[in-house]
Amino acid sequence: MSDKAELALNNEKDLAWEQLRSEADRDEDWQHSLTLWQSLCIYKTAVFWSIVASFCIVMEAYDTLLLGSLFALPAFKQHFGHNQGGTAGYQISAPWQAGLQQGANIGSFFGVFLGAILVDRFGYKWSIIGNLVVLAPIIALVTFAPNLGALLAGEILCGIPWGVFSTLAEAFASEICPQSLRGYLTVFVNMCWVLGHFIGAGVLRAANNIDGKWSYRMPFAVQWVWIPILLPFLIFAPDSPYWFVRKGKLDKAEKTVRRIAPAAEQSRVQEVVSSMVRTNHLEQEVSAGTSFLDCFKGVDRRRTEISCVVWTTQILCGLQFANYSTYFFQQAGLSTIYSFDMTIGLYGAAFIGTCLSWVLLTYFGRRRIWLTGLSCLVVGQILIGVLSVVADKGHEGARWAQAGLMIGWLFTYDMTVGPLAYAIVGETSSTRLRNKTVGLARASYNVFSVCFGVLMPYMLNPGKWNWAGKTGFFWAGIGFLCLVWAFFRLPELKNRSFLEADIMFARGVPARKFSTYVIEADADEVVRAQHAEASYAN
């Protein structure tokens, strides 16, 4: 190619890039100007598909509550447990309680990595559909398990597709909606967790009135219901436009944006895709690649740290305590039927708390809600521990107070830390590494969930440590350490686009300055040039 031809080609590329940047700037301004109601009107189709994908989480949440509560169901304990005599009666041993409760988490650990691999090749839509189909026969194994070994194997196998859902639903919701709706729809993933727990509590309450094996088989079999409901919808769902941009299929990205935002003007569609291309291009410049290893390199190391710690804080502040709520209430001295009733009340409060979290998201930043909520949770765990000490001295009212405080604790959790984790992880990760970063964060959650989940039966089981409510002191200490980390490391990304987040992370802006940091025009070009100079110097 001659020098003149090469110069003409470069000029043409520069003009094309300038046009793309101009379109992307207009989209940035438009996105910032949208009100919540305008976003809902324009992106109502995107909202619908995000909700459909998020409903896959309901099954995992349902099962998380299921086994912890089945340990309190008489028929389940009589079939799988042993009579310990005295007031303890039939009990599943602590090692089997730990193994069964964490079986799904073990499977989910592998599922999150499988999901990241599948989405790179097949996209979000077909990865979710494939795992829904695989899940159907595995549910039969847990429903008709003849012994604890078969039940554990089924739980581990179920955990694999659940792990896929837990990462892909979060990432899909983050990518398919505009920044004005992103926080609300990623938080909806937590709502699906609460719905799963609430449905599980209601089903188990009904199962308590059934005699024989079907009192615990029926709750397992209910998991089949979701598959025929979700599959017909998902077959017609769109895939993420960001996924098409990463694959270089800009025509399909445009087609998808027109589909998920049919109320947008046609000129806006091109601008939206241009914004995605610009963000993807900047991340290509400042990041080495899109592998799991790249999540721990350069700029993305900090983003991975924040995502992992935020998600594991859900466990570290004491969520495992709530997962054993029915068993805890029973060991605290409440009857079986009252224990199930209190669990229904517990997750009813959690549902209301998650709804209120949307209100908090509208008026307050993620960082403020997180720090305030986590502080309240630490104090709540201390109070649960104090009431347990009082109850041990014969004060019956303290047992009911413990149960009431547990409801208040979960209400606060699902108004702050629980749902906010999904919004923060969805906004913190870069678009090119999103499914990998979300996968690592979820894997970290699963590792801590398994570790502390193994300990929980020992803490609560009357045949082991028998800490009962004094377990609150343990969780309060760990929760306080998480609070200290958040104060120094958690950034504020409310009302920030993915491009703006990329620029601030690339510049190493301190966490406490994210909310007030001013990003100048052409900041992405400056960051790109600085990165190129640094790479050349090295």
Side-chain angles (χ1 to χ4, degrees), residues 381-418:
Q381 290 287 6
I382 293 173
L383 292 176
I384 289 173
V386 170
L387 285 170
S388 180
V389 174
V390 174
D392 286 347
K393 294 182 179 180
H395 296 275
E396 288 299 318
R399 301 188 187 279
W400 284 98
Q402 273 184 280
L405 192 55
M406 177 67 83
I407 292 175
W409 187 93
L410 194 64
F411 172 79
T412 304
Y413 170 88
D414 278 296
M415 190 168 56
T416 56
V417 170

Side-chain angles (χ1 to χ4, degrees), residues 47-68:
V47 171
F48 172 77
W49 290 119
S50 175
I51 289 173
V52 169
S54 297
F55 267 120
C56 293
I57 301 295
V58 172
M59 289 183 290
E60 182 181 10
Y62 175 90
D63 188 81
T64 301
L65 176 80
L66 195 62
L67 276 171

Side-chain angles (χ1 to χ4, degrees), residues 232-393:
F233 285 103
L234 289 168
I235 288 172
F236 296 101
D239 218 316
S240 163
Y242 272 100
W243 184 80
F244 286 123
V245 167
R246 290 193 290 271
K247 294 296 181 180
K249 301 176 181 179
L250 300 188
D251 56 332
K252 291 188 176 180
E254 272 192 48
K255 184 178 178 181
T256 300
V257 172
R258 287 194 182 93
R259 186 178 171 192
I260 63 178
E265 299 173 13
Q266 290 305 304
S267 60
R268 296 289 186 197
V269 173
Q270 178 62 43
E271 292 171 1
V272 171
V273 175
S274 294
S275 180
M276 294 177 181
V277 173
R278 183 187 189 183
T279 301
N280 184 63
H281 189 65
L282 174 63
E283 291 179 350
Q284 282 180 310
E285 292 290 325
V286 301
S287 301
T290 58
S291 68
F292 277 107
L293 187 60
D294 291 310
C295 293
F296 300 98
K297 293 180 179 178
V299 174
D300 290 299
R301 185 188 303 115
R302 181 184 178 190
R303 304 174 86 154
T304 302
E305 174 209 332
I306 293 168
S307 298
C308 290
V309 177
V310 161
W311 218 334
T312 54
T313 297
Q314 288 187 319
I315 292 294
L316 298 177
C317 69
L319 183 60
Q320 284 287 357
F321 211 172
N323 287 342
Y324 279 84
S325 56
T326 306
Y327 187 72
F328 165 72
F329 292 146
Q330 196 177 69
Q331 297 308 317
L334 303 184
S335 67
T336 300
I337 197 69
Y338 282 143
S339 297
F340 281 110
D341 287 342
M342 290 297 291
T343 300
I344 293 174
L346 185 75
Y347 290 106
F351 180 86
I352 297 171
T354 305
C355 292
L356 290 176
S357 72
W358 287 329
V359 178
L360 295 181
L361 278 172
T362 303
Y363 298 104
F364 303 101
R366 281 77 164 126
R367 178 181 166 87
R368 181 183 296 182
I369 299 171
W370 185 270
L371 292 175
T372 304
L374 190 53
S375 299
C376 293
L377 295 179
V378 170
V379 173
Q381 290 287 6
I382 293 173
L383 292 176
I384 289 173
V386 170
L387 285 170
S388 180
V389 174
V390 174
D392 286 347
K393 294 182 179 180

